[in-house]
Amino acid sequence: MKLEDIRKFTLDQLEDELIKLKREQFNLRFQKASSQLNNTARVRDVRRTIARIKTVEREKRVAEAQS
């Protein structure tokens, strides 16, 4: 997911997306542990997308507090 797309989300949408990605990350870890993971790059993509969402969420909360 691109940063431009993430910035368009509201705070509620960001939280929902974060929950969805954390669930996917959990499932990917299970697949990796049981040697069923085919796309190992997906683990990295999910981790980075989670970080992007957290960053944008923080930026929006700080902007709200300053207003």
Side-chain angles (χ1 to χ4, degrees), residues 8-38:
K8 293 177 186 174
F9 289 163
T10 64
L11 282 173
D12 290 335
Q13 290 172 325
L14 287 172
E15 290 174 10
D16 292 341
E17 190 68 23
L18 188 61
I19 290 169
K20 185 179 91 173
L21 286 169
K22 286 196 175 242
R23 189 173 297 130
E24 182 179 355
Q25 185 182 35
F26 179 78
N27 290 332
L28 288 171
R29 278 189 303 212
F30 258 87
Q31 289 176 12
K32 184 177 180 185
S34 62
S35 300
Q36 295 178 348
L37 184 61
N38 295 327

Side-chain angles (χ1 to χ4, degrees), residues 35-48:
S35 300
Q36 295 178 348
L37 184 61
N38 295 327
N39 186 3
T40 56
R42 184 67 185 143
V43 175
R44 181 178 177 188
D45 291 340
V46 169
R47 189 176 68 238
R48 288 184 177 189

